[in-house]
Amino acid sequence: MGNHPAYRLTLLLQRRAALFLALWFLVTAAALFATSRLRMTANLSELLPKNLQSVLDLDELNHRVGGAGNFIVAIENEDLPAAQRYADALVEKIQKEISPEFIRYVEYRNNDQRDFFEKNKYLYAEVEDLEQIHDRLKRKIEFEITCKNALFFDLTGQCKKDPGFDMSDIQKKYHREEGRYDQFHDGYFTSADGKLLAIVVKPTGDPSAIVHVRDFLKTIRPVIASLDPASFHPSLKIHFTGSYAQADEEYSAMVRDAAFTGMLALVLILAILFFYYRSVRMIAFVGLALFCSLAWTYGLAYVLIGVLTSQTAFMGSIVLGNSANNVIVFLARYLEERKRDFSSQEALARAAAATIGASFASAFTAAAAFGVLAIADMRAYRQFAVIGAIGMVLSWVATHFFLPCLLAAGERIKPLSPSAISERGAKNLTGWVVHLVTKHPKRLALLGAFLTASGIVGSLVFWSDPYEHDYSNIRTARSLRSGSGFWNRKLMDEVFDLSLTPNVILAENREEANQIREVLLARRDADPTSVIDTVRTLDSFIPERQGEKLEWMGKIRKLLEGQAVKFLSKDQRAEIDRIKGGFDLKPIQEEDIPQSVRRHFVELDGSVGKIVYVFPNNEKFLWIVENGLKFADEVQHVPLQNGKIVTGSGEGVVFADIVRLVHRAGPTILVAAFVCVYFFLLLEFRNPLRGLVVFLPMIVAFSWLGLLMLVTGVRLTFLNFLVLPMAVGISIDYSIHIFHRYSLEKDKNVGHVLRTTGAAVILCSLTVTTGYAVLLLAQSRAIVNFGKLGLLAEICALSTAILFTPTVLSLRGSKGEKREA
């Protein structure tokens, strides 16, 4: 062992411990500085590659229109007039005190729109419907003139049945569109019962840029807070929602979750280690090594990435739990050698020589499992791959280049007495495992075979439909329960009939915009399952065939002139008077359209009419994957008559692209993870059979995992899918340590392997499990689901490593002994 390179390197590190420690601490200080400069974002588009069409379209949208975000003040009340007075005062205050740099406009009433469409509604009716009104009215008037005349004799029977005059079918046809303007009390954006009133603020800039979002909120919230709603009525309560409020809420939850789970994981891991080692010194050594490796990881991540998304910000607890593995195994071997009365220098050198091969294989196979995520065409996965792979490699560096220096310095300050090293922790962890494996290996093998067969069947069922269908299950729980997500849904259900964040398609000219609208409406009308509600351009507010419509209106007016009307009943007269009042019209021009409508179609450079808004059906929630993908398929690519394909983007399209990429890349990533891991096993053991012995428990673990996911109802999302390649690396990590230690034992004593390295592996699993478990306390249900799947994967990985692998080795050893006998 004295000739082993790791043995000689560790002796050198100990002799120059002070120098190397100073170097490592300087590196750590630089890493901490770099870590402090890491940015975080909650933008969905950050997950996707920058050259993806939906991301390019979203960038173009921000450049031409300034983003499609909004900020909404929801006013809950028991006194509508008081809420209206408060809304008037608040809007006036916002418009007066906030610079146009932050706000483009504020909307909270639709009086001008309602009056405009009420006056011109018959110009928006179809020509055929006006013709129907004319014909029905003509028949009714002829009946009244002829059949009510006392001098008329009905020889043909034409007066037996009154044709009546009914417009209900035509009114029903336009009822929904009219209702979008008529449902509000006094023109304010209110619910039907008047207990909810909304103010919609249209900010400038990109709602996906969290820096801009937070600057805007810092500007508007003090203005809102300065106007006390209770002074208008005690029942008034203010809530914030809209894309800006939701982005800020998700971002804040992400930051809190990342900080909270990371710190809690560190504390709990150190507590577990304390109860195992019963030594403050050992905890200090492990904690410092883990802290430094984590700092190096995030410092290097700043250099390579520079930004963390909601998918990578919480990785601290994951990297921390996984990084502890090599440190724990090394420390366990060091204490074992010290217990055998070797000096601290010799014990450190022997521990390094005995564990460096296994720790190298486990660290780099885990890094490879993380690294395969980089093949996915998603920036978030690549970030995860970089951070995970770096974390595993640097944990190995910390174990074999930093920890020996730390232990050597500690031994010089206060030597560790071998008699003080307790084995109670190892015995408590492994006693029952040793008994099962050594006393009942055949029973364990049969049980393992049964569970594996069941797992294979369960996995086949699970993998036939593994992905989440309802992505509301991964939103922040508080947001959906009482926060911005809750109030956004409430406003959509009770106040606004159309989505406030439609998909946007940008055309090159007005003619192209109108062609896009025609194609999309044709798609909607041809498909009963379409998710499109309506499509709007500026020109869609200018009625078609106005000349023909005015001509039919003239004919209707002519029918209503003279004495004919006197024959109508009181109710009939009221209806005709209502119709007649709408016929004093002239053709609508663009300048006649209310400014509150027109401004939605004006770009930042002043050009008008090149924006197409595609509104999804509010009853078909886009967070249901099938609806989201259907909507994206309908609106993302629009073919025109000239052969051009026009593309558009929005939150729904970006979300659909994320889901598609995960579904497409998932199988490839998993296969690549298995291949890479087996490749590293061949490099380590240089024997396909030995590699297979270590590889087999991982296959077993994954069959069990599929069964557990089926039973527990855990489904894969674009976030928790990341657990699977991690599980590949961790599963193989544990088996490598067990098998490597077994191969070094001359007497091939499985019980001894489990009491020593097995105890360290169980302790490693406890730290990883802790890293996953703390995620269950996160506000984001996406992170909670990540933690759940991680826990299931860890149960399978540990069970196969300390039960299945030792059982196979035990049975193998028994056969070998029989052959020798």
Side-chain angles (χ1 to χ4, degrees):
M1 186 173 286
N3 292 325
H4 197 288
Y7 183 95
R8 296 196 299 271
L9 172 63
T10 306
L11 290 178
L12 173 64
L13 291 172
Q14 293 179 80
R15 286 196 295 270
R16 299 287 186 270
L19 176 63
F20 285 114
L21 281 177
L23 176 62
W24 288 125
F25 285 133
L26 282 174
V27 171
T28 303
L32 288 173
F33 174 75
T35 301
S36 68
R37 300 175 66 85
L38 267 172
R39 294 186 299 108
M40 286 191 283
T41 178
N43 181 12
L44 274 180
S45 65
E46 286 285 348
L47 308 181
L48 296 169
K50 292 183 178 180
N51 61 350
L52 196 67
Q53 189 60 52
S54 60
V55 177
L56 295 175
D57 289 336
L58 198 60
D59 292 340
E60 180 71 8
L61 171 65
N62 293 329
H63 175 72
R64 285 177 55 176
V65 182
N70 53 58
F71 176 76
I72 304 174
V73 182
I75 306 170
E76 194 180 9
N77 71 89
E78 295 294 337
D79 187 314
L80 180 57
Q84 292 171 339
R85 291 195 302 272
Y86 172 78
D88 291 335
L90 181 58
V91 170
E92 182 181 358
K93 196 174 184 64
I94 289 173
Q95 292 175 332
K96 180 179 179 181
E97 298 186 17
I98 298 182
S99 165
E101 174 189 355
F102 290 102
I103 292 180
R104 294 172 64 188
Y105 51 81
V106 182
E107 292 181 320
Y108 73 116
R109 304 187 69 174
N110 77 331
N111 301 68
D112 58 341
Q113 296 179 35
R114 182 190 60 189
D115 295 344
F116 173 81
F117 287 108
E118 179 65 26
K119 175 184 177 182
N120 297 285
K121 62 183 178 182
Y122 292 106
L123 280 177
Y124 288 94
E126 294 179 7
V127 172
E128 293 74 16
D129 292 328
L130 293 174
E131 185 178 358
Q132 283 280 341
I133 294 173
H134 172 270
D135 292 346
R136 293 177 188 181
L137 186 59
K138 181 179 180 181
R139 285 195 299 270
K140 175 61 178 173
I141 291 175
E142 288 177 348
F143 176 86
E144 292 289 339
I145 293 174
T146 304
C147 298
K148 297 295 179 69
N149 189 339
L151 300 177
F152 175 71
F153 293 95
D154 186 14
L155 300 176
T156 61
Q158 69 185 72
C159 296
K160 288 183 178 180
K161 184 177 180 182
D162 189 336
F165 178 66
D166 182 30
M167 287 180 55
S168 60
D169 58 333
I170 297 175
Q171 288 174 321
K172 184 178 179 181
K173 183 176 180 180
Y174 301 101
H175 174 72
R176 186 183 181 194
E177 194 65 33
E178 289 180 6
R180 287 170 173 163
Y181 301 99
D182 290 341
Q183 66 173 350
F184 302 136
H185 293 262
D186 302 322
Y188 290 84
F189 293 165
T190 58
S191 57
D193 60 8
K195 294 185 177 181
L196 194 60
L197 189 152
I199 300 173
V200 181
V201 181
K202 180 67 176 178
T204 59
D206 180 8
S208 65
I210 196 65
V211 173
H212 173 76
V213 168
R214 307 206 95 178
D215 286 344
F216 168 79
L217 295 178
K218 287 178 183 177
T219 302
I220 196 171
R221 280 176 171 166
V223 174
I224 296 173
S226 67
L227 189 65
D228 182 16
S231 65
F232 290 81
H233 195 275
S235 69
L236 266 60
K237 296 180 181 178
I238 308 304
H239 309 280
F240 300 139
T241 185
S243 56
Y244 272 60
Q246 291 186 76
D248 178 65
E249 192 170 59
E250 294 288 338
Y251 176 82
S252 299
M254 176 186 69
V255 173
R256 287 195 302 269
D257 287 344
F260 172 72
T261 57
M263 291 303 298
L264 183 59
L266 179 60
V267 171
L268 292 179
I269 287 171
L270 293 180
I272 290 170
L273 295 176
F274 176 78
F275 283 108
Y276 179 83
Y277 291 117
R278 308 296 174 94
S279 169
V280 175
R281 176 196 293 202
M282 293 299 109
I283 303 309
F285 290 153
V286 174
L288 196 55
L290 293 179
F291 175 79
C292 289
S293 67
L294 193 63
W296 304 342
T297 299
Y298 277 96
L300 197 53
Y302 167 73
V303 176
L304 298 176
I305 302 173
V307 62
L308 299 180
T309 69
S310 55
Q311 280 60 50
T312 52
F314 69 94
M315 273 201 69
S317 59
I318 304 301
V319 172
L320 194 63
N322 291 329
S323 298
N325 294 354
N326 287 324
V327 174
I328 289 171
V329 171
F330 179 90
L331 193 58
R333 189 56 186 257
Y334 167 69
L335 294 178
E336 186 182 340
E337 298 294 341
R338 289 289 279 132
K339 189 71 176 176
R340 294 167 61 187
D341 284 331
F342 284 108
S343 67
S344 61
Q345 293 87 351
E346 180 69 14
L348 276 172
R350 292 174 67 87
T355 61
I356 194 169
S359 63
F360 179 88
S362 66
F364 280 83
T365 51
F370 277 109
V372 296
L373 289 166
I375 67 177
D377 201 12
M378 285 181 66
R379 279 186 284 173
Y381 280 18
R382 291 174 181 174
Q383 291 177 14
F384 209 100
V386 170
I387 294 174
I390 290 173
M392 294 302 98
V393 172
L394 292 181
S395 74
W396 180 80
V397 172
T399 300
H400 290 281
F401 292 86
F402 173 69
L403 188 57
C405 303
L406 200 59
L407 290 169
E411 289 280 5
R412 291 172 189 172
I413 296 172
K414 185 180 179 181
L416 178 66
S417 172
S419 62
I421 300 173
S422 172
E423 296 180 346
R424 187 168 57 179
K427 290 180 179 178
N428 290 338
L429 286 179
T430 60
W432 62 277
V433 177
V434 173
H435 177 76
L436 285 175
V437 171
T438 57
K439 301 300 183 182
H440 308 286
K442 291 184 180 179
R443 292 180 182 178
L444 272 181
L446 289 174
L447 177 62
F450 172 75
L451 290 176
T452 302
S454 302
I456 291 172
V457 174
S459 293
L460 290 174
V461 175
F462 172 78
W463 284 104
S464 66
D465 182 23
Y467 295 104
E468 178 64 68
H469 293 274
D470 183 356
Y471 266 77
S472 66
N473 292 330
I474 70 168
R475 290 288 305 278
T476 300
R478 182 179 177 184
S479 175
L480 292 177
R481 186 174 58 249
S482 60
S484 62
F486 170 83
W487 288 104
N488 185 73
R489 187 66 252 164
K490 193 172 181 65
L491 288 176
M492 291 301 102
D493 290 339
E494 299 183 17
V495 179
F496 298 108
D497 190 45
L498 288 176
S499 170
L500 296 179
T501 53
N503 192 80
V504 180
I505 301 177
L506 300 175
E508 291 186 1
N509 50 63
R510 294 180 72 148
E511 181 183 356
E512 185 175 278
N514 293 325
Q515 288 183 33
I516 293 169
R517 178 174 181 268
E518 291 173 5
V519 172
L520 291 175
L521 289 177
R523 279 183 179 176
R524 180 199 65 183
D525 296 339
D527 185 358
T529 65
S530 174
V531 185
I532 297 175
D533 182 296
T534 189
V535 185
R536 288 181 174 173
T537 63
L538 181 60
D539 287 337
S540 68
F541 290 91
I542 302 176
E544 298 177 343
R545 302 168 67 182
Q546 293 191 68
E548 295 180 60
K549 294 175 183 179
L550 289 171
E551 183 180 344
W552 278 108
M553 289 179 186
K555 293 179 180 179
I556 294 172
R557 182 186 292 122
K558 189 173 182 180
L559 284 175
L560 297 174
E561 291 174 349
Q563 300 299 315
V565 179
K566 294 181 179 180
F567 294 98
L568 299 176
S569 67
K570 182 178 179 181
D571 292 339
Q572 292 169 339
R573 187 188 299 274
E575 177 66 14
I576 287 178
D577 286 343
R578 190 180 73 83
I579 298 171
K580 188 176 179 180
F583 289 159
D584 186 18
L585 300 175
K586 62 179 181 179
I588 296 174
Q589 305 297 326
E590 181 182 318
E591 56 269 20
D592 298 323
I593 298 174
Q595 176 60 20
S596 59
V597 173
R598 191 174 183 274
R599 63 189 174 195
H600 290 281
F601 298 92
V602 180
E603 300 181 31
L604 296 179
D605 63 0
S607 57
V608 181
K610 299 186 291 184
I611 302 174
V612 182
Y613 291 104
V614 188
F615 294 87
N617 187 331
N618 267 353
E619 296 178 358
K620 296 182 178 181
F621 304 133
L622 296 189
W623 59 68
I624 302 299
V625 170
E626 290 76 10
N627 292 339
L629 294 178
K630 174 73 173 178
F631 183 68
D633 287 339
E634 289 183 295
V635 305
Q636 198 167 8
H637 300 91
V638 183
L640 303 182
Q641 293 179 352
N642 60 6
K644 179 181 179 180
I645 303 294
V646 181
T647 58
S649 190
E651 290 183 4
V653 171
V654 170
F655 169 72
D657 276 345
I658 291 172
V659 172
R660 287 195 194 100
L661 284 174
V662 174
H663 290 192
R664 185 167 62 243
T668 304
I669 290 173
L670 277 182
V671 170
F674 284 120
V675 171
C676 287
V677 164
Y678 189 66
F679 174 75
F680 272 97
L681 290 177
L682 291 180
L683 289 180
E684 167 64 16
F685 295 110
R686 294 182 175 82
N687 185 316
L689 184 58
R690 282 190 169 193
L692 190 60
V693 171
V694 181
F695 190 73
L696 187 59
M698 182 180 64
I699 303 298
V700 173
F702 262 79
S703 71
W704 295 2
L705 179 59
L707 177 62
L708 282 178
M709 293 175 72
L710 179 67
V711 171
T712 58
V714 174
R715 287 186 170 271
L716 296 178
T717 68
F718 64 83
L719 177 58
N720 70 1
F721 174 83
L722 298 167
V723 170
L724 298 182
M726 288 170 54
V728 172
I730 296 301
S731 297
I732 211 69
D733 185 355
Y734 296 157
S735 295
I736 285 174
H737 284 297
I738 295 292
F739 186 80
H740 195 276
R741 180 59 186 266
Y742 179 81
S743 65
L744 293 178
E745 293 292 315
K746 293 181 180 180
D747 58 357
K748 306 302 180 187
N749 187 329
V750 173
H752 180 67
V753 170
L754 286 173
R755 280 188 289 269
T756 53
T757 301
V761 165
I762 294 175
L763 189 60
C764 291
S765 180
L766 286 176
T767 64
V768 176
T769 300
T770 300
Y772 286 126
V774 297
L775 299 181
L776 302 182
L777 302 176
Q779 284 290 317
S780 171
R781 289 192 290 180
I783 297 178
V784 171
N785 287 339
F786 190 103
K788 287 180 181 178
L789 182 53
L791 286 174
L792 295 180
E794 191 61 25
I795 290 170
C796 297
L798 180 64
S799 299
T800 54
I802 66 168
L803 293 175
F804 184 82
T805 301
T807 298
V808 172
L809 295 176
S810 179
L811 292 173
R812 224 175 122 204
S814 299
K815 290 180 180 179
E817 290 174 4
K818 290 179 181 179
R819 283 197 300 270
E820 290 178 5

